[in-house]
Amino acid sequence: MAAPTQAPERLLTPGEVATLFRVDPKTVTRWASAGRIGSIRTPGGHRRFRESEVRGLLADLTSEASPEMR
């Protein structure tokens, strides 16, 4: 019996990541260049970001930014 295949992880564009963080897409590209967020290059040279990593980073930043809200 073959193991169940896992769905491939969703990859986000810089624009989609920028919307989540409420920043300009160029800011997301700078973060990737600086190593603040991991990215994958498509065969055409475009950046894509793993949704799980982006959402984890967003959750970390949100919890750090508002400890008094707890």
Side-chain angles (χ1 to χ4, degrees):
M1 183 188 281
T5 57
Q6 187 176 1
E9 176 154 20
R10 184 161 180 259
L11 298 176
L12 304 176
T13 66
E16 291 170 322
V17 175
T19 299
L20 290 171
F21 283 92
R22 296 185 178 155
V23 297
D24 190 88
K26 292 278 187 193
T27 300
V28 176
T29 301
R30 281 194 298 273
W31 290 347
S33 296
R36 291 184 63 193
I37 187 169
S39 66
I40 298 167
R41 291 284 187 156
T42 67
H46 299 280
R47 289 187 194 270
R48 295 295 180 264
F49 302 88
R50 287 185 175 88
E51 184 175 27
S52 61
E53 182 181 349
V54 169
R55 294 215 180 262
L57 181 59
L58 185 59
D60 289 347
L61 292 174
T62 302
S63 64
E64 288 175 15
S66 58
E68 70 280 353
M69 298 294 281
R70 293 183 178 193

